[in-house]
Amino acid sequence: MSIKARARAKINLTLEVLGKRPDGYHEVEMVMQSIELHDYLEFSPTPGKITLTVEGDGLPAGAQNLVYRAADLLRGHRGIRQGASIHLKKYIPVAAGLAGGSADAAATLIALNKMWGTGLSLLDLMKLGERLGSDIPFCLLGGTALARGRGERVERLPACPGLGVVLVKPPFGLSTAHVYQSYKREVSVDKPDHRGMINAIEKNDARAICSHLVNMLEPVAIQLQPAISVIKAKLLQAGALGVLMSGSGPTVFGLTPDLDTAHAVAARYNRRDEQVIVTNILNTGNKAYISCD
Ligand SMILES: C[C@@](CO)(OP(=O)(O)O)[C@H](O)COP(=O)(O)OP(=O)(O)OC[C@H]1O[C@@H](n2ccc(N)nc2=O)[C@H](O)[C@@H]1O
Ligand SMILES: Nc1ncnc2c1ncn2[C@@H]1O[C@H](COP(=O)(O)OP(=O)(O)O)[C@@H](O)[C@H]1O
C-alpha cells in the first residue's frame, strides 16, 4: 500500500527569545500557526532500504535530507527491517523560516509509522522528532500552538481564524543557526504579548491579531538582510492588515481578512525578484494536520 501525505508549512505569529541555554540553543516562547502551503510526499513499501527522490529546489536526496533522516530514525528506533521508497515534491521555499524541512520530516514519521505499523503515539513521534529539529514537534501537532523550550515543548491553543496569507520570499536564504548566533538582546523589539495574541485569536479579531505580531529575531535578520524591511513596507502598501517575518526568516508574511483579499494584495504587491505565494491559515478542527491517505 502506498501512502500520500501533505507536509504543511508554518508561520510564527509571535517569537520571543528568552536567553541562551547551556546546550547552545536559545530558550524561546512563540505562537505558531500551520498554513495550507504544503509539500507532497508519497511512500511505498520496499524490501530493505530507504530510497528518496526529490522534485524541485536543489535539495540533497541522500542521507542529508530530513525526510531520509526521519525514516532512518524511525527504523532504527524500532529495529525495523522493512524499507521505503519515498518521493518528495517541494513547494515550500527552502531555508525560508517556514519549517519546510521539519514539516517533511514530521510527515515522514506519521506516514511510515502507519505504513510500517510501528504503532507509536503522536506523543512518541514528537519525542522522537525533536532529535531532528526544534520545529518538528510542532509540525507533528499542527494548528495553532504555543511552543517553548527550544521550540519542542508545544501545547494546543484555540484555533486561529482562517485568514488569508501572502508569503514573500526574497531570493536568498537565512540559516537558522546564523540568525540565532547573531541575535543580540539589545538590538531587538519589545517582547511579544503572547497572552494578548491568544486573546485576539480567541475573539477571532483579525486586527487585534495583526497588532500583536512581534518577532524578536526580525531586527537581527534585517541587519543581516535589510531587504526584509523593504518587503514589509511593500506588503503593507499592497494592503496587508499586518506583516511579520516568520521564524528565523527571510520570508515575510502579510495577513488579510480572507483568501480573496490575499490574492488582491499579491496582485498589487510591487515585486522585484521575490517569490510571492498566496495561501491561508489552516484549521482542520480535530482532524490530523498531516493528512495521510
Ligand atoms: C539533529 C541535528 C542537530 O544535531 O543534526 P545535524 O544536522 O547537526 O547533524 C539536526 O540538524 C537538527 O539541528 P537543530 O539544531 O535541532 O535544528 P534547528 O532546531 O532547526 O536549529 C538550527 C540551529 O538554530 C539554533 N537554534 C535553534 C532553535 C533554538 N530555539 N535556539 C537556537 O539557538 C541552534 O544553533 C540550532 O543548531
Ligand atoms: N526536505 C527538506 N526540505 C527543506 N530543507 C531541507 C530538507 N532536508 C534537509 N533540509 C535542509 O534543512 C535546512 C532547513 O530547511 P527548512 O526547514 O526549509 O528551513 P527553515 O527551518 O528556515 O524553514 C536547509 O538548509 C535545508 O538544506
Side-chain angles (χ1 to χ4, degrees), residues 59 64-67 88 90 93-102 104 176 248:
L59 274 177
Q64 280 315 303
N65 195 295
L66 281 161
V67 168
L88 164 65
K90 286 299 295 184
V94 174
L98 301 173
S102 305
D104 294 342
T176 303
S248 55

Side-chain angles (χ1 to χ4, degrees), residues 214-236:
V214 176
N215 178 348
M216 289 176 76
L217 289 177
E218 200 179 66
V220 65
I222 288 172
Q223 272 190 340
L224 295 169
Q225 291 287 0
I228 292 169
S229 61
V230 174
I231 291 170
K232 287 185 70 174
K234 290 200 296 184
L235 253 179
L236 283 171

Side-chain angles (χ1 to χ4, degrees), residues 6 45 70 117 131-132 136 212 275 279 283 293:
R6 290 187 175 95
R131 292 192 226 167
L132 281 185
I136 293 174
H212 284 86
Q275 184 183 4
T279 185
N283 284 305
D293 38 46

